[in-house]
Amino acid sequence: MTPLPRSFYDRDTVTVAHELLGAYLVHDVAGETRVGKIVEVEAYLGEEDLAAHSSRGLTPRTRILFGPPGFAYVYLIYGIHCCLNVVTEREGNACAVLLRALEPVRNVHERTCGPGLLCRAMGIDLRCNGHDLLSGNLFVAARMDEEERCIVARPRIGVAYAGDWAAKPLRFYLAENPHVSKR
């Protein structure tokens, strides 16, 4: 498996979100390669998106979002759970896709149906913030099959504070996959 090129991430965020479904998240943890198939994501559309961290502008925490595409933005929720986003679009747009759920493929033995569980099972923590996803030890690899995928679009989870943005169908998942966090 090889990392997707930077050009994959340097596109419209919703397009990237759709194309991440069925791709593989790969992380080498202490010599063990963990692999999970991405089955659920959420798109965050930059500073105008009130659910996005970038809606408050450029801060030390969000500087990765404003950088070039193809980097990991990892943050803590509730002070305990890490969440992994991939930065998308051109530098300065502050867009990203949150990885919400994986189907375990190799050396993943814990639950992966939720962004915090996904990170724990894959060995992803705050040290991965700012990591270049074109590296050989934490990256996304292309889908291996060309079969048609049925993608479901729903509102994102846990963003009720974001007004009209909370209702936008920016959460995407593979229909019928048992590892999706919420239907």
Side-chain angles (χ1 to χ4, degrees):
M1 295 183 149
T2 59
L4 291 168
R6 191 148 339 267
S7 59
F8 175 87
Y9 303 101
D10 191 9
R11 300 179 296 151
D12 171 74
T13 302
V14 171
T15 299
V16 174
H18 280 234
E19 292 189 17
L20 281 169
L21 293 171
Y24 295 89
L25 180 62
V26 180
H27 191 205
D28 184 35
V29 182
E32 175 185 77
T33 302
R34 298 180 190 182
V35 181
K37 183 180 194 178
I38 300 168
V39 299
E40 182 182 3
V41 298
E42 289 181 351
Y44 289 87
L45 305 181
E47 290 183 273
E48 70 277 356
D49 182 345
L50 297 180
H53 289 178
S54 56
S55 68
R56 293 199 168 101
L58 180 62
T59 67
R61 178 185 187 191
T62 64
R63 76 175 172 75
I64 300 299
L65 288 170
F66 286 86
F71 284 80
Y73 170 56
V74 180
Y75 62 90
L76 278 178
I77 56 170
Y78 313 122
I80 53 173
H81 301 293
C82 286
C83 294
L84 170 63
N85 294 256
V86 298
V87 177
T88 60
E89 299 193 21
R90 66 178 166 74
E91 190 167 350
N93 273 17
C95 297
V97 176
L98 170 69
L99 304 187
R100 282 200 55 85
L102 297 175
E103 177 181 317
V105 174
R106 186 177 349 141
N107 296 322
V108 178
H109 308 291
E110 298 175 45
R111 291 180 47 220
T112 57
C113 55
L117 293 172
L118 178 158
C119 284
R120 184 174 13 170
M122 292 295 291
I124 295 168
D125 58 27
L126 290 176
R127 292 174 290 184
C128 297
N129 188 39
H131 186 87
D132 188 346
L133 295 172
L134 275 63
S135 74
N137 65 336
L138 173 59
F139 61 91
V140 177
R143 294 189 290 131
M144 290 186 202
D145 60 47
E146 291 301 321
E147 76 181 49
E148 186 147 344
R149 299 162 300 146
C150 181
I151 297 173
V152 177
R154 295 281 187 264
R156 294 173 292 190
I157 296 171
V159 296
Y161 58 84
D164 292 341
W165 282 94
K168 293 188 184 294
L170 293 171
R171 180 170 66 97
F172 308 103
Y173 61 86
L174 295 176
E176 307 304 321
N177 189 286
H179 300 280
V180 169
S181 68
K182 183 177 180 182
R183 302 268 166 212

PDB file of all heavy atoms in Angstrom, residues 19-47:
ATOM      1  N   GLU A  19     -14.566  10.174  -1.762  1.00  0.00           N
ATOM      2  CA  GLU A  19     -13.538   9.271  -2.278  1.00  0.00           C
ATOM      3  C   GLU A  19     -12.698   8.622  -1.187  1.00  0.00           C
ATOM      4  O   GLU A  19     -12.028   7.624  -1.430  1.00  0.00           O
ATOM      5  CB  GLU A  19     -12.683   9.996  -3.307  1.00  0.00           C
ATOM      6  CG  GLU A  19     -13.504  10.291  -4.557  1.00  0.00           C
ATOM      7  CD  GLU A  19     -12.702  10.819  -5.715  1.00  0.00           C
ATOM      8  OE1 GLU A  19     -11.464  10.694  -5.719  1.00  0.00           O
ATOM      9  OE2 GLU A  19     -13.340  11.365  -6.632  1.00  0.00           O
ATOM     10  N   LEU A  20     -12.742   9.170   0.031  1.00  0.00           N
ATOM     11  CA  LEU A  20     -12.069   8.507   1.151  1.00  0.00           C
ATOM     12  C   LEU A  20     -12.810   7.241   1.569  1.00  0.00           C
ATOM     13  O   LEU A  20     -12.201   6.314   2.109  1.00  0.00           O
ATOM     14  CB  LEU A  20     -11.954   9.456   2.352  1.00  0.00           C
ATOM     15  CG  LEU A  20     -10.844  10.495   2.281  1.00  0.00           C
ATOM     16  CD1 LEU A  20     -11.020  11.534   3.384  1.00  0.00           C
ATOM     17  CD2 LEU A  20      -9.474   9.839   2.381  1.00  0.00           C
ATOM     18  N   LEU A  21     -14.117   7.197   1.329  1.00  0.00           N
ATOM     19  CA  LEU A  21     -14.896   6.011   1.703  1.00  0.00           C
ATOM     20  C   LEU A  21     -14.430   4.808   0.900  1.00  0.00           C
ATOM     21  O   LEU A  21     -14.425   4.826  -0.330  1.00  0.00           O
ATOM     22  CB  LEU A  21     -16.383   6.261   1.499  1.00  0.00           C
ATOM     23  CG  LEU A  21     -16.982   7.311   2.430  1.00  0.00           C
ATOM     24  CD1 LEU A  21     -18.407   7.657   2.011  1.00  0.00           C
ATOM     25  CD2 LEU A  21     -16.936   6.854   3.876  1.00  0.00           C
ATOM     26  N   GLY A  22     -13.994   3.785   1.600  1.00  0.00           N
ATOM     27  CA  GLY A  22     -13.461   2.589   0.972  1.00  0.00           C
ATOM     28  C   GLY A  22     -11.944   2.598   0.867  1.00  0.00           C
ATOM     29  O   GLY A  22     -11.335   1.568   0.575  1.00  0.00           O
ATOM     30  N   ALA A  23     -11.324   3.777   1.108  1.00  0.00           N
ATOM     31  CA  ALA A  23      -9.856   3.853   1.125  1.00  0.00           C
ATOM     32  C   ALA A  23      -9.368   3.283   2.457  1.00  0.00           C
ATOM     33  O   ALA A  23     -10.162   2.990   3.359  1.00  0.00           O
ATOM     34  CB  ALA A  23      -9.406   5.302   0.951  1.00  0.00           C
ATOM     35  N   TYR A  24      -8.049   3.144   2.595  1.00  0.00           N
ATOM     36  CA  TYR A  24      -7.473   2.500   3.774  1.00  0.00           C
ATOM     37  C   TYR A  24      -6.610   3.466   4.572  1.00  0.00           C
ATOM     38  O   TYR A  24      -5.732   4.119   4.013  1.00  0.00           O
ATOM     39  CB  TYR A  24      -6.626   1.298   3.353  1.00  0.00           C
ATOM     40  CG  TYR A  24      -7.464   0.223   2.718  1.00  0.00           C
ATOM     41  CD1 TYR A  24      -7.692   0.226   1.354  1.00  0.00           C
ATOM     42  CD2 TYR A  24      -8.054  -0.771   3.487  1.00  0.00           C
ATOM     43  CE1 TYR A  24      -8.483  -0.742   0.763  1.00  0.00           C
ATOM     44  CE2 TYR A  24      -8.844  -1.750   2.901  1.00  0.00           C
ATOM     45  CZ  TYR A  24      -9.059  -1.722   1.544  1.00  0.00           C
ATOM     46  OH  TYR A  24      -9.851  -2.677   0.970  1.00  0.00           O
ATOM     47  N   LEU A  25      -6.852   3.523   5.876  1.00  0.00           N
ATOM     48  CA  LEU A  25      -5.985   4.255   6.786  1.00  0.00           C
ATOM     49  C   LEU A  25      -4.921   3.277   7.269  1.00  0.00           C
ATOM     50  O   LEU A  25      -5.251   2.175   7.737  1.00  0.00           O
ATOM     51  CB  LEU A  25      -6.785   4.801   7.971  1.00  0.00           C
ATOM     52  CG  LEU A  25      -5.987   5.596   9.003  1.00  0.00           C
ATOM     53  CD1 LEU A  25      -5.373   6.852   8.391  1.00  0.00           C
ATOM     54  CD2 LEU A  25      -6.879   5.962  10.188  1.00  0.00           C
ATOM     55  N   VAL A  26      -3.665   3.666   7.141  1.00  0.00           N
ATOM     56  CA  VAL A  26      -2.533   2.798   7.482  1.00  0.00           C
ATOM     57  C   VAL A  26      -1.670   3.533   8.503  1.00  0.00           C
ATOM     58  O   VAL A  26      -1.316   4.692   8.299  1.00  0.00           O
ATOM     59  CB  VAL A  26      -1.693   2.472   6.226  1.00  0.00           C
ATOM     60  CG1 VAL A  26      -0.519   1.573   6.574  1.00  0.00           C
ATOM     61  CG2 VAL A  26      -2.565   1.852   5.141  1.00  0.00           C
ATOM     62  N   HIS A  27      -1.334   2.845   9.603  1.00  0.00           N
ATOM     63  CA  HIS A  27      -0.457   3.439  10.621  1.00  0.00           C
ATOM     64  C   HIS A  27       0.491   2.377  11.148  1.00  0.00           C
ATOM     65  O   HIS A  27       0.058   1.318  11.622  1.00  0.00           O
ATOM     66  CB  HIS A  27      -1.281   4.025  11.768  1.00  0.00           C
ATOM     67  CG  HIS A  27      -0.483   4.860  12.697  1.00  0.00           C
ATOM     68  ND1 HIS A  27      -0.860   5.067  14.010  1.00  0.00           N
ATOM     69  CD2 HIS A  27       0.662   5.555  12.542  1.00  0.00           C
ATOM     70  CE1 HIS A  27       0.034   5.850  14.602  1.00  0.00           C
ATOM     71  NE2 HIS A  27       0.973   6.150  13.720  1.00  0.00           N
ATOM     72  N   ASP A  28       1.775   2.676  11.078  1.00  0.00           N
ATOM     73  CA  ASP A  28       2.799   1.794  11.624  1.00  0.00           C
ATOM     74  C   ASP A  28       3.024   2.197  13.077  1.00  0.00           C
ATOM     75  O   ASP A  28       3.466   3.313  13.353  1.00  0.00           O
ATOM     76  CB  ASP A  28       4.092   1.917  10.822  1.00  0.00           C
ATOM     77  CG  ASP A  28       5.148   0.939  11.296  1.00  0.00           C
ATOM     78  OD1 ASP A  28       4.782  -0.184  11.686  1.00  0.00           O
ATOM     79  OD2 ASP A  28       6.334   1.302  11.271  1.00  0.00           O
ATOM     80  N   VAL A  29       2.681   1.294  13.996  1.00  0.00           N
ATOM     81  CA  VAL A  29       2.806   1.557  15.428  1.00  0.00           C
ATOM     82  C   VAL A  29       3.789   0.543  16.005  1.00  0.00           C
ATOM     83  O   VAL A  29       3.485  -0.650  16.072  1.00  0.00           O
ATOM     84  CB  VAL A  29       1.435   1.441  16.140  1.00  0.00           C
ATOM     85  CG1 VAL A  29       1.566   1.758  17.620  1.00  0.00           C
ATOM     86  CG2 VAL A  29       0.407   2.349  15.489  1.00  0.00           C
ATOM     87  N   ALA A  30       4.952   1.021  16.402  1.00  0.00           N
ATOM     88  CA  ALA A  30       5.975   0.162  17.018  1.00  0.00           C
ATOM     89  C   ALA A  30       6.256  -1.081  16.173  1.00  0.00           C
ATOM     90  O   ALA A  30       6.305  -2.199  16.686  1.00  0.00           O
ATOM     91  CB  ALA A  30       5.567  -0.211  18.439  1.00  0.00           C
ATOM     92  N   GLY A  31       6.388  -0.886  14.865  1.00  0.00           N
ATOM     93  CA  GLY A  31       6.717  -1.999  13.982  1.00  0.00           C
ATOM     94  C   GLY A  31       5.546  -2.851  13.539  1.00  0.00           C
ATOM     95  O   GLY A  31       5.716  -3.780  12.764  1.00  0.00           O
ATOM     96  N   GLU A  32       4.350  -2.544  14.029  1.00  0.00           N
ATOM     97  CA  GLU A  32       3.145  -3.279  13.630  1.00  0.00           C
ATOM     98  C   GLU A  32       2.309  -2.379  12.733  1.00  0.00           C
ATOM     99  O   GLU A  32       1.967  -1.260  13.123  1.00  0.00           O
ATOM    100  CB  GLU A  32       2.335  -3.659  14.876  1.00  0.00           C
ATOM    101  CG  GLU A  32       1.005  -4.311  14.553  1.00  0.00           C
ATOM    102  CD  GLU A  32       0.190  -4.565  15.799  1.00  0.00           C
ATOM    103  OE1 GLU A  32      -0.402  -3.602  16.333  1.00  0.00           O
ATOM    104  OE2 GLU A  32       0.157  -5.727  16.234  1.00  0.00           O
ATOM    105  N   THR A  33       1.975  -2.850  11.558  1.00  0.00           N
ATOM    106  CA  THR A  33       1.174  -2.053  10.637  1.00  0.00           C
ATOM    107  C   THR A  33      -0.303  -2.328  10.869  1.00  0.00           C
ATOM    108  O   THR A  33      -0.764  -3.464  10.730  1.00  0.00           O
ATOM    109  CB  THR A  33       1.549  -2.354   9.174  1.00  0.00           C
ATOM    110  OG1 THR A  33       2.937  -2.080   9.002  1.00  0.00           O
ATOM    111  CG2 THR A  33       0.749  -1.495   8.221  1.00  0.00           C
ATOM    112  N   ARG A  34      -1.018  -1.280  11.244  1.00  0.00           N
ATOM    113  CA  ARG A  34      -2.469  -1.368  11.442  1.00  0.00           C
ATOM    114  C   ARG A  34      -3.157  -0.779  10.212  1.00  0.00           C
ATOM    115  O   ARG A  34      -2.757   0.270   9.713  1.00  0.00           O
ATOM    116  CB  ARG A  34      -2.883  -0.588  12.691  1.00  0.00           C
ATOM    117  CG  ARG A  34      -2.256  -1.165  13.947  1.00  0.00           C
ATOM    118  CD  ARG A  34      -2.659  -0.404  15.182  1.00  0.00           C
ATOM    119  NE  ARG A  34      -1.858  -0.850  16.321  1.00  0.00           N
ATOM    120  CZ  ARG A  34      -2.013  -0.397  17.554  1.00  0.00           C
ATOM    121  NH1 ARG A  34      -2.938   0.508  17.826  1.00  0.00           N
ATOM    122  NH2 ARG A  34      -1.244  -0.862  18.516  1.00  0.00           N
ATOM    123  N   VAL A  35      -4.202  -1.460   9.761  1.00  0.00           N
ATOM    124  CA  VAL A  35      -4.923  -1.031   8.571  1.00  0.00           C
ATOM    125  C   VAL A  35      -6.414  -1.110   8.839  1.00  0.00           C
ATOM    126  O   VAL A  35      -6.908  -2.113   9.358  1.00  0.00           O
ATOM    127  CB  VAL A  35      -4.569  -1.918   7.348  1.00  0.00           C
ATOM    128  CG1 VAL A  35      -5.318  -1.454   6.106  1.00  0.00           C
ATOM    129  CG2 VAL A  35      -3.067  -1.937   7.104  1.00  0.00           C
ATOM    130  N   GLY A  36      -7.125  -0.043   8.463  1.00  0.00           N
ATOM    131  CA  GLY A  36      -8.582  -0.023   8.548  1.00  0.00           C
ATOM    132  C   GLY A  36      -9.173   0.612   7.307  1.00  0.00           C
ATOM    133  O   GLY A  36      -8.619   1.564   6.752  1.00  0.00           O
ATOM    134  N   LYS A  37     -10.287   0.068   6.865  1.00  0.00           N
ATOM    135  CA  LYS A  37     -11.009   0.606   5.705  1.00  0.00           C
ATOM    136  C   LYS A  37     -11.915   1.735   6.200  1.00  0.00           C
ATOM    137  O   LYS A  37     -12.705   1.551   7.133  1.00  0.00           O
ATOM    138  CB  LYS A  37     -11.841  -0.500   5.072  1.00  0.00           C
ATOM    139  CG  LYS A  37     -12.586  -0.106   3.832  1.00  0.00           C
ATOM    140  CD  LYS A  37     -13.361  -1.329   3.356  1.00  0.00           C
ATOM    141  CE  LYS A  37     -13.883  -1.180   1.983  1.00  0.00           C
ATOM    142  NZ  LYS A  37     -14.588  -2.415   1.576  1.00  0.00           N
ATOM    143  N   ILE A  38     -11.826   2.903   5.592  1.00  0.00           N
ATOM    144  CA  ILE A  38     -12.616   4.064   5.993  1.00  0.00           C
ATOM    145  C   ILE A  38     -14.056   3.866   5.531  1.00  0.00           C
ATOM    146  O   ILE A  38     -14.314   3.680   4.348  1.00  0.00           O
ATOM    147  CB  ILE A  38     -12.022   5.356   5.408  1.00  0.00           C
ATOM    148  CG1 ILE A  38     -10.580   5.542   5.912  1.00  0.00           C
ATOM    149  CG2 ILE A  38     -12.886   6.565   5.773  1.00  0.00           C
ATOM    150  CD1 ILE A  38      -9.795   6.619   5.169  1.00  0.00           C
ATOM    151  N   VAL A  39     -14.994   3.900   6.498  1.00  0.00           N
ATOM    152  CA  VAL A  39     -16.405   3.651   6.168  1.00  0.00           C
ATOM    153  C   VAL A  39     -17.327   4.810   6.543  1.00  0.00           C
ATOM    154  O   VAL A  39     -18.495   4.803   6.168  1.00  0.00           O
ATOM    155  CB  VAL A  39     -16.911   2.339   6.813  1.00  0.00           C
ATOM    156  CG1 VAL A  39     -16.114   1.141   6.294  1.00  0.00           C
ATOM    157  CG2 VAL A  39     -16.874   2.399   8.323  1.00  0.00           C
ATOM    158  N   GLU A  40     -16.810   5.814   7.272  1.00  0.00           N
ATOM    159  CA  GLU A  40     -17.640   6.956   7.663  1.00  0.00           C
ATOM    160  C   GLU A  40     -16.753   8.175   7.852  1.00  0.00           C
ATOM    161  O   GLU A  40     -15.681   8.086   8.456  1.00  0.00           O
ATOM    162  CB  GLU A  40     -18.379   6.655   8.969  1.00  0.00           C
ATOM    163  CG  GLU A  40     -19.295   7.759   9.418  1.00  0.00           C
ATOM    164  CD  GLU A  40     -19.991   7.438  10.749  1.00  0.00           C
ATOM    165  OE1 GLU A  40     -19.713   6.375  11.346  1.00  0.00           O
ATOM    166  OE2 GLU A  40     -20.811   8.268  11.190  1.00  0.00           O
ATOM    167  N   VAL A  41     -17.203   9.330   7.323  1.00  0.00           N
ATOM    168  CA  VAL A  41     -16.455  10.582   7.393  1.00  0.00           C
ATOM    169  C   VAL A  41     -17.426  11.755   7.572  1.00  0.00           C
ATOM    170  O   VAL A  41     -18.630  11.606   7.359  1.00  0.00           O
ATOM    171  CB  VAL A  41     -15.610  10.811   6.121  1.00  0.00           C
ATOM    172  CG1 VAL A  41     -14.559   9.725   5.937  1.00  0.00           C
ATOM    173  CG2 VAL A  41     -16.485  10.924   4.883  1.00  0.00           C
ATOM    174  N   GLU A  42     -16.868  12.908   7.935  1.00  0.00           N
ATOM    175  CA  GLU A  42     -17.625  14.164   7.961  1.00  0.00           C
ATOM    176  C   GLU A  42     -16.787  15.242   7.290  1.00  0.00           C
ATOM    177  O   GLU A  42     -15.577  15.326   7.530  1.00  0.00           O
ATOM    178  CB  GLU A  42     -17.939  14.615   9.390  1.00  0.00           C
ATOM    179  CG  GLU A  42     -18.966  13.776  10.080  1.00  0.00           C
ATOM    180  CD  GLU A  42     -19.280  14.251  11.494  1.00  0.00           C
ATOM    181  OE1 GLU A  42     -18.586  15.148  12.027  1.00  0.00           O
ATOM    182  OE2 GLU A  42     -20.230  13.705  12.083  1.00  0.00           O
ATOM    183  N   ALA A  43     -17.428  16.070   6.471  1.00  0.00           N
ATOM    184  CA  ALA A  43     -16.748  17.171   5.791  1.00  0.00           C
ATOM    185  C   ALA A  43     -16.923  18.461   6.585  1.00  0.00           C
ATOM    186  O   ALA A  43     -18.018  18.747   7.080  1.00  0.00           O
ATOM    187  CB  ALA A  43     -17.314  17.338   4.388  1.00  0.00           C
ATOM    188  N   TYR A  44     -15.850  19.240   6.699  1.00  0.00           N
ATOM    189  CA  TYR A  44     -15.860  20.556   7.356  1.00  0.00           C
ATOM    190  C   TYR A  44     -15.328  21.564   6.350  1.00  0.00           C
ATOM    191  O   TYR A  44     -14.231  21.406   5.822  1.00  0.00           O
ATOM    192  CB  TYR A  44     -15.040  20.512   8.651  1.00  0.00           C
ATOM    193  CG  TYR A  44     -15.767  19.704   9.695  1.00  0.00           C
ATOM    194  CD1 TYR A  44     -15.611  18.333   9.776  1.00  0.00           C
ATOM    195  CD2 TYR A  44     -16.675  20.322  10.546  1.00  0.00           C
ATOM    196  CE1 TYR A  44     -16.327  17.583  10.699  1.00  0.00           C
ATOM    197  CE2 TYR A  44     -17.400  19.586  11.469  1.00  0.00           C
ATOM    198  CZ  TYR A  44     -17.223  18.215  11.542  1.00  0.00           C
ATOM    199  OH  TYR A  44     -17.940  17.481  12.444  1.00  0.00           O
ATOM    200  N   LEU A  45     -16.147  22.606   6.082  1.00  0.00           N
ATOM    201  CA  LEU A  45     -15.954  23.435   4.904  1.00  0.00           C
ATOM    202  C   LEU A  45     -15.354  24.817   5.161  1.00  0.00           C
ATOM    203  O   LEU A  45     -15.739  25.794   4.523  1.00  0.00           O
ATOM    204  CB  LEU A  45     -17.296  23.559   4.164  1.00  0.00           C
ATOM    205  CG  LEU A  45     -17.932  22.221   3.794  1.00  0.00           C
ATOM    206  CD1 LEU A  45     -19.238  22.438   3.057  1.00  0.00           C
ATOM    207  CD2 LEU A  45     -16.982  21.364   2.979  1.00  0.00           C
ATOM    208  N   GLY A  46     -14.427  24.916   6.070  1.00  0.00           N
ATOM    209  CA  GLY A  46     -13.675  26.155   6.231  1.00  0.00           C
ATOM    210  C   GLY A  46     -14.288  27.150   7.185  1.00  0.00           C
ATOM    211  O   GLY A  46     -15.177  26.827   7.974  1.00  0.00           O
ATOM    212  N   GLU A  47     -13.817  28.368   7.101  1.00  0.00           N
ATOM    213  CA  GLU A  47     -14.165  29.399   8.082  1.00  0.00           C
ATOM    214  C   GLU A  47     -15.647  29.734   8.136  1.00  0.00           C
ATOM    215  O   GLU A  47     -16.151  30.123   9.187  1.00  0.00           O
ATOM    216  CB  GLU A  47     -13.354  30.669   7.816  1.00  0.00           C
ATOM    217  CG  GLU A  47     -11.886  30.511   8.149  1.00  0.00           C
ATOM    218  CD  GLU A  47     -11.120  31.791   7.948  1.00  0.00           C
ATOM    219  OE1 GLU A  47     -10.665  32.023   6.808  1.00  0.00           O
ATOM    220  OE2 GLU A  47     -10.982  32.555   8.933  1.00  0.00           O
TER     221      GLU A  47
END
